[in-house]
Amino acid sequence: MSFLIDSSIMITSQILFFGFGWLFFMRQLFKDYEVRQYVVQVIFSVTFAFSCTMFELIIFEILKVLNSSSRYFHWKMNLCVILLILVFMVPFYIGYFIVSNIRLWILSIEQLISRVGVIGVTLMALLSGFGAVNCPYTYMSYFLRNVTDADILALERRLLQTMDMIISKKKRMAMTRRTMFQKGEVHNKPSGFWGMIKSVTTSAPGSENLTLIQQEVDALEELSRQLFLETADLYATKERIEYSKTFKGKYFNFLGYFFSIYCVWKIFMATINIVFDRVGKTDPVTRGIEITVNYLGIQFDVKFWSQHISFILVGIIIVTSIRGLLITLTKFFYAISSSKSSNVIVLLLAQIMGMYFVSSVLLIRMSMPLEYRTIITEVLGELQFNFYHRWFDVIFLVSALSSILFLYLAHKQAPEKHMAP
Amino acid sequence: MASLDRVKVLVLGDSGVGKSSLVHLLCQNQVLGNPSWTVGCSVDVRVHDYKEGTPEEKTYYIELWDVGGSVGSASSVKSTRAVFYNSVNGIILVHDLTNKKSSQNLYRWSLEALNRDLVPTGVLVTNGDYDREQFADNQIPLLVIGTKLDQIHETKRHEVLTRTAFLAEDFNAEEINLVIEKRYFLREGNQIPGFPDRKRFGGGTLKSLHYD
């Protein structure tokens, strides 16, 4: 009997909430639109009603209104309904309404491009900023720390010593466990609540010893891992030093100096662009031609040459970015993938690659003369191209500066590690 | 215990084949609950009674050195790993029965480990060409273990096991394929000195354990 009364109270309150949601929808949310699909309104109001009912049930729980068994029943029912709505109905209707709006799909390509574009441009700027700083750092041998064979041997000896210490401790543990087992004290892992209570009050001296030694072993294992990584690092540095003494190495070192000048110039230009709030109007090709024609007085067929030069320039940019991207992706993939997560990681990388290329197209527009820009402008529609360039400059600057800071700290910190005894 | 009783066994294989789980199983007689990626090398110790029950019974500590990483690692990592390959008494090569690549990589693993000993100048072999000759005069006993047999469908098991039998023969090694439940397979091969009773070594603890 009381259950019926309680249920009727709940249902009345739910109807009230439903009505409130309905009115809210009509008067506030959709006040400028016409409600053509009542399904939407119903779903909205139902979701609102059941959500409010959950809060109501909490209040009832505190105030101890209604019968506790009927409260329990209504809780369960409420949760079921809300989950059904959230997991099945609302997503289904979202999909349904998107599909039925496919006609308008083409017009909203712009919006999608702008979203993809922003993310892609951010990514590109971050990578460029880091690359601009990391590249000279890697190429130039000025930054290489001096590593001698003696350093490596010393570290290796420490590593082996640590391993020996771990082994001797584990031997003690194994022996202790064996004697305990033979004496009949079976060292069970505490299972369940009572097990834990028992193990707190009565613990054999053998097992106490074991936990102590186990802790020491854990610390030593952590140390061994650190030493291993440091040794690998030293080997890598030694290889780089040897590589820098070869012809190829010297060539790259030389390139590194040029690259660093180029990167500094880029950072400088990015700062100027932001501070003086200007976006380059002409592309490098036309400007180059202007300069040669006007200042250097060399006359040549502008149209013919501008097409070829832009093709070469854009071609170089495209090829180097694709090559750079694939190399970086491969390195990244080897570093982080394992047999289990490889599928997910490849898909993520495909996503990043796609966004990177879309934003490259956006930005490459700036490097081309006007007559070649039209197709990109047409396809991509009314995008604020200037915004992307400004955004790129900002993120590039931020990324470059933080990379400089990061590399500086890493460089400073590394030699101190090896000086410790 | 005196250092004469030291027995060092390497456990090598690709990432994720189950080396750490295997070592944990052998030493702690328990299944490893949360396997994580091994960085560097992790060691564990098993107390083993050699020739138990006979008058020549002696207790040995078998150190199982579980070396992490992959065959395609950077040469700096390989050089660092080489420091673990000194004075080894035996090598356990672990491969995943569900993953053919891991079986193929065993050749390169064994070359990496053995060449370290055969050529003490520290020069590492960079090409992974397999040459049966190199194993002909190998004095260090090899054991090939295949894991995750339970994840292979019943019908495919015979084909997989024949393939691994060839593998073991190539190495001149003894082979164990780990399964759940009561049976396990044992292939004839080299007699491994110092590890007489293979059954004793692995059998009792493998009985009713799930291995994934």
Side-chain angles (χ1 to χ4, degrees):
Chain A
M1 190 53 204
S2 65
F3 179 71
L4 283 176
I5 299 179
D6 295 340
S7 305
S8 51
I9 296 179
M10 293 302 303
I11 293 182
T12 324
S13 58
Q14 275 172 344
I15 295 180
L16 274 174
F17 289 133
F18 181 85
F20 185 76
W22 186 276
L23 281 174
F24 176 75
F25 185 90
M26 259 198 335
R27 295 282 169 76
Q28 292 269 72
L29 281 183
F30 258 45
K31 68 176 187 261
D32 296 329
Y33 307 120
E34 188 180 325
V35 182
R36 293 216 190 115
Q37 306 271 9
Y38 277 102
V39 172
V40 177
Q41 193 169 5
V42 166
I43 291 188
F44 181 83
S45 313
V46 164
T47 317
F48 184 76
F50 277 96
S51 314
C52 289
T53 316
M54 282 206 295
F55 283 124
E56 187 190 11
L57 281 169
I58 295 181
I59 304 273
F60 282 176
E61 188 74 28
I62 298 175
L63 295 178
K64 300 245 188 290
V65 178
L66 302 188
N67 202 353
S68 76
S69 60
S70 48
R71 278 204 304 263
Y72 184 74
F73 169 77
H74 279 282
W75 259 119
K76 289 233 112 156
M77 192 187 75
N78 219 358
L79 277 176
C80 275
V81 174
I82 279 240
L83 285 175
L84 262 173
I85 294 181
L86 287 178
V87 174
F88 294 116
M89 291 193 63
V90 175
F92 170 73
Y93 275 109
I94 289 179
Y96 171 74
F97 277 107
I98 285 184
V99 167
S100 66
N101 273 344
I102 284 273
R103 285 170 270 129
L104 306 169
W105 200 240
I106 313 297
L107 294 178
S108 70
I109 269 188
E110 255 175 49
Q111 287 183 358
L112 288 178
I113 290 265
S114 69
R115 299 232 188 300
V116 170
V118 173
I119 301 177
V121 166
T122 315
L123 207 66
M124 256 185 79
L126 280 172
L127 290 175
S128 309
F130 180 69
V133 174
N134 192 39
C135 216
Y137 180 73
T138 322
Y139 280 174
M140 302 208 301
S141 53
Y142 175 74
F143 293 112
L144 279 181
R145 299 185 300 279
N146 213 5
V147 171
T148 61
D149 279 339
D151 293 334
I152 297 184
L153 273 177
L155 255 192
E156 277 184 348
R157 217 179 309 132
R158 267 183 76 192
L159 178 58
L160 284 176
Q161 274 174 0
T162 319
M163 300 305 294
D164 284 336
M165 281 166 65
I166 296 178
I167 290 176
S168 60
K169 290 205 192 298
K170 289 214 166 171
K171 281 181 185 168
R172 273 172 61 193
M173 278 171 60
M175 224 22 169
T176 322
R177 247 185 269 133
R178 196 170 134 126
T179 41
M180 272 171 55
F181 186 70
Q182 283 169 349
K183 282 194 208 151
E185 303 167 36
V186 186
H187 178 69
N188 279 326
K189 275 224 178 89
S191 56
F193 191 63
W194 284 117
M196 277 201 295
I197 302 275
K198 259 202 291 187
S199 71
V200 168
T201 50
T202 65
S203 50
S207 61
E208 263 179 22
N209 240 352
L210 278 181
T211 31
L212 259 167
I213 304 182
Q214 181 64 47
Q215 281 171 355
E216 289 171 22
V217 163
D218 287 338
L220 281 175
E221 280 183 339
E222 184 59 42
L223 177 65
S224 77
R225 282 191 278 269
Q226 290 291 344
L227 287 172
F228 181 83
L229 290 173
E230 275 182 43
T231 317
D233 200 33
L234 281 191
Y235 267 115
T237 317
K238 184 170 158 218
E239 272 169 33
R240 273 180 58 197
I241 292 179
E242 284 180 18
Y243 180 73
S244 75
K245 296 191 182 136
T246 65
F247 276 126
K248 251 180 135 183
K250 290 202 169 117
Y251 168 69
F252 275 114
N253 188 27
F254 189 63
L255 273 191
Y257 281 109
F258 269 121
F259 231 148
S260 57
I261 296 177
Y262 171 72
C263 294
V264 168
W265 180 75
K266 266 210 99 156
I267 295 179
F268 184 64
M269 287 311 288
T271 326
I272 298 269
N273 282 342
I274 295 172
V275 166
F276 291 116
D277 194 33
R278 72 169 190 126
V279 181
K281 286 283 177 199
T282 52
D283 56 290
V285 180
T286 320
R287 260 189 81 76
I289 292 180
E290 269 175 23
I291 293 177
T292 36
V293 168
N294 293 340
Y295 295 112
L296 299 181
I298 302 177
Q299 300 288 333
F300 55 90
D301 187 356
V302 174
K303 266 211 161 107
F304 174 75
W305 281 109
S306 93
Q307 184 187 26
H308 281 72
I309 295 179
S310 352
F311 170 70
I312 293 177
L313 186 70
V314 171
I316 292 179
I317 294 180
I318 290 179
V319 166
T320 45
S321 3
I322 293 183
R323 180 179 170 274
L325 183 82
L326 285 178
I327 290 179
T328 317
L329 282 186
T330 321
K331 269 200 259 181
F332 200 62
F333 189 70
Y334 282 160
I336 63 173
S337 83
S338 68
S339 51
K340 294 211 170 119
S341 60
S342 53
N343 288 332
V344 174
I345 294 189
V346 162
L347 286 174
L348 278 174
L349 290 180
Q351 169 89 359
I352 292 179
M353 183 171 70
M355 290 204 282
Y356 182 82
F357 284 147
V358 168
S359 47
S360 299
V361 167
L362 276 181
L363 294 175
I364 228 176
R365 190 182 151 274
M366 220 42 176
S367 308
M368 301 197 297
L370 277 170
E371 60 259 35
Y372 305 122
R373 291 187 195 175
T374 45
I375 181 105
I376 300 186
T377 322
E378 257 180 52
V379 168
L380 299 183
E382 288 301 312
L383 281 186
Q384 306 279 16
F385 288 106
N386 293 341
F387 162 73
Y388 289 106
H389 289 278
R390 174 54 37 76
W391 184 243
F392 181 89
D393 283 331
V394 170
I395 302 285
F396 177 82
L397 198 64
V398 167
S399 165
L401 290 176
S402 11
S403 316
I404 290 180
L405 187 69
F406 172 71
L407 283 176
Y408 176 74
L409 287 174
H411 188 72
K412 273 287 173 210
Q413 192 218 19
E416 287 167 1
K417 274 198 291 192
H418 301 307
M419 287 199 264
Chain B
M1 289 276 171
S3 59
L4 296 166
D5 298 341
R6 194 174 173 170
V7 177
K8 178 171 164 182
V9 175
L10 284 181
V11 180
L12 301 176
D14 276 353
S15 280
V17 296
K19 301 186 294 293
S20 305
S21 306
L22 173 68
V23 168
H24 197 258
L25 183 64
L26 289 173
C27 299
Q28 317 275 350
N29 285 344
Q30 280 172 347
V31 177
L32 184 61
N34 52 336
S36 62
W37 205 22
T38 318
V39 174
C41 171
S42 89
V43 195
D44 216 340
V45 170
R46 180 183 165 98
V47 183
H48 180 65
D49 297 315
Y50 180 56
K51 290 189 177 159
E52 192 171 344
T54 67
E56 296 133 20
E57 175 180 342
K58 198 167 180 201
T59 312
Y60 281 100
Y61 288 111
I62 302 177
E63 301 163 18
L64 293 163
W65 291 57
D66 161 23
V67 177
S70 70
V71 268
S73 296
S75 61
S76 59
V77 177
K78 283 190 180 168
S79 315
T80 327
R81 274 209 298 254
V83 80
F84 299 128
Y85 298 155
N86 284 321
S87 59
V88 159
N89 299 107
I91 303 183
I92 298 182
L93 297 165
V94 186
H95 67 115
D96 186 351
L97 290 168
T98 60
N99 181 355
K100 269 195 195 152
K101 217 51 183 35
S102 62
S103 326
Q104 287 162 0
N105 282 338
L106 285 184
Y107 297 136
R108 296 163 70 186
W109 273 115
S110 52
L111 281 178
E112 189 181 321
L114 292 175
N115 277 330
R116 182 66 175 88
D117 263 332
L118 292 173
V119 187
T121 55
V123 171
L124 288 173
V125 175
T126 48
N127 61 333
D129 284 349
Y130 167 63
D131 182 8
R132 221 178 197 197
E133 296 296 312
Q134 284 174 320
F135 294 105
D137 61 345
N138 174 32
Q139 291 302 316
I140 301 177
L142 298 172
L143 173 66
V144 175
I145 295 192
T147 59
K148 308 187 192 176
L149 184 60
D150 48 303
Q151 286 183 12
I152 299 183
H153 200 252
E154 288 285 344
T155 48
K156 301 222 171 103
R157 282 195 190 178
H158 181 71
E159 170 199 328
V160 170
L161 290 173
T162 6
R163 172 168 59 87
T164 54
F166 284 128
L167 184 76
E169 267 175 46
D170 280 342
F171 280 115
N172 224 3
E174 233 180 284
E175 182 192 11
I176 294 184
N177 288 311
L178 292 179
V179 298
I180 50 172
E181 288 147 13
K182 296 154 189 81
R183 302 166 299 128
Y184 63 92
F185 297 102
L186 183 62
R187 298 292 171 133
E188 287 306 319
N190 227 355
Q191 273 308 311
I192 297 186
F195 295 93
D197 271 320
R198 281 253 69 93
K199 288 192 179 132
R200 193 71 64 91
F201 190 76
T205 54
L206 291 177
K207 271 211 175 139
S208 53
L209 291 162
H210 287 270
Y211 206 89
D212 31 307

